[in-house]
Amino acid sequence: MATASVPAFPTRPLVLADLVPAVRARNVVLVALGVLFTALLAQVSVPVPGSPVPVTGQTLAVVLTAASLGPARGVSVQVVYILAALVGLPFYSEASGGWDVVVGATGGYVFGFIPAAYLIGLAARHGADRRFRTSVPLFVAGQAVVFAVGVPWLALATGMSAAQALEAGFYPFILGGLVKAAVAAAVLGGAWRVARHRS
């Protein structure tokens, strides 16, 4: 009697984390790893002269975790990341944490990670992270969401004008954001190619 073959990938949309075997604690472990990964890349920090906002690896971590984990887990990573810093864990740049850091001048960028993670994760759920030509625009858009929250917050927290906030909190980061988008697209595209070859 003939048996139906099982497809290499289920018919429902996937993100990379769905390829991990479904064990009871999988989501908790994946979110915890995402938080630690974001905290690790936050320590890659380069001060920007004249700006309270440093260049960090955080946004790269947001892009990678959101695209790999999907919208729900990606958002969960960023919510837990914020909560961890609120209780004082040194998860932000230069091993900082605490209430003052979370709600300070750069806090808007971190809160912007939440809608950015949702946007990227949702698009990845529909396959937008698998090809360079679709993932780069997605990852640029996701980072734009971070700045859309972070720059007005910076202006309100510091008393800067809109023009000053853009000068201090947006323009110096455009090139880095494009580079991060390209790096993330290359990493995720490579991961999907490896996953396909092993299936």
Side-chain angles (χ1 to χ4, degrees):
M1 180 171 58
T3 57
S5 60
V6 178
F9 288 93
T11 55
R12 73 178 183 85
L14 293 172
V15 292
L16 278 170
D18 292 324
L19 302 181
V20 178
V23 296
R24 186 171 296 181
R26 179 182 72 176
N27 289 342
V28 173
V29 171
L30 289 171
V31 168
L33 289 173
V35 172
L36 293 174
F37 182 65
T38 306
L40 177 65
L41 287 194
Q43 306 317 309
V44 180
S45 177
V46 180
V48 175
S51 173
V53 186
V55 174
T56 74
Q58 283 170 303
T59 48
L60 177 59
V62 172
V63 168
L64 290 171
T65 57
S68 299
L69 301 178
R73 288 173 297 212
V75 167
S76 296
V77 166
Q78 299 312 321
V79 170
V80 174
Y81 180 65
I82 291 171
L83 293 175
L86 277 173
V87 300
L89 294 179
F91 279 6
Y92 285 10
S93 62
E94 299 178 350
S96 60
W99 176 265
D100 291 341
V101 175
V102 175
V103 300
T106 61
Y109 296 91
V110 181
F111 280 97
F113 292 169
I114 295 173
Y118 182 78
L119 167 69
I120 293 168
L122 188 64
R125 178 69 71 191
H126 292 87
D129 64 324
R130 301 186 191 189
R131 292 178 178 83
F132 196 85
R133 68 177 181 273
T134 56
S135 57
V136 170
L138 168 63
F139 299 155
V140 169
Q143 292 179 81
V145 170
V146 173
F147 286 106
V149 179
V151 172
W153 183 304
L154 176 65
L156 289 172
T158 62
M160 293 180 180
S161 67
Q164 289 171 327
L166 287 168
E167 286 286 346
F170 178 62
Y171 298 142
F173 305 94
I174 294 174
L175 178 59
L178 294 173
V179 170
K180 290 175 192 177
V183 168
V187 169
L188 288 162
W192 274 112
R193 284 192 293 274
V194 170
R196 289 189 188 99
H197 288 145
R198 289 186 175 181
S199 64

